[in-house]
Amino acid sequence: MGQEEEKQKRLSAFTGFTISEDLLKHASADCVVMHCLPAHRGEEITDDAIIGSQSVIFDQAENRLHIQKALLCSLFGGLDVGSERHQFPVKTEAKYEKTKATISS
């Protein structure tokens, strides 16, 4: 990624800042672990923290997937489903009311 020569320097600078189950034991019970992925396992977060009971990492990734698909539909102006074409316009107040009326009918 263009920063390979800095890897050792970064690893030593961030030693002790790894999210792990041991660290999470000191957090409140309602603490959740999030990560935008891809994770550098063992460096920034441990495997047990990624799959632990406080992790929502994979839910977060799934939500991001759906948002990215919606953005692509919006950017490309619609989505072909079977023989119908569904439009997903950017919603302004006027467009929202027009779209709402179209969907209702």
Side-chain angles (χ1 to χ4, degrees):
M1 297 293 214
Q3 300 172 342
E4 289 80 9
E5 64 277 351
E6 296 180 23
K7 182 177 181 177
Q8 203 56 22
K9 184 178 177 182
R10 289 174 185 267
L11 285 175
S12 63
F14 290 108
T15 299
F17 291 95
T18 303
I19 297 174
S20 65
E21 279 294 316
D22 293 332
L23 178 68
L24 293 173
K25 289 176 185 174
H26 301 286
S28 66
D30 60 348
C31 171
V32 294
V33 177
M34 299 179 79
H35 194 288
C36 60
L37 297 180
H40 292 245
R41 293 172 182 245
E43 294 175 11
E44 56 189 19
I45 188 167
T46 60
D47 286 333
D48 55 345
I50 290 174
I51 60 172
S53 61
Q54 292 175 288
S55 175
V56 294
I57 292 173
F58 295 111
D59 295 329
Q60 178 186 3
E62 181 183 4
N63 290 339
R64 188 176 63 243
L65 168 73
H66 297 304
I67 292 297
Q68 290 168 341
K69 291 189 312 186
L71 282 170
L72 286 172
C73 287
S74 178
L75 290 171
F76 291 120
L79 175 66
D80 288 324
V81 178
S83 60
E84 299 180 28
R85 179 155 177 83
H86 300 277
Q87 295 293 323
F88 299 100
V90 175
K91 301 280 194 288
T92 61
E93 192 61 37
K95 285 185 177 182
Y96 174 76
E97 292 301 325
K98 183 178 177 184
T99 304
K100 185 177 167 185
T102 303
I103 292 172
S104 300
S105 58

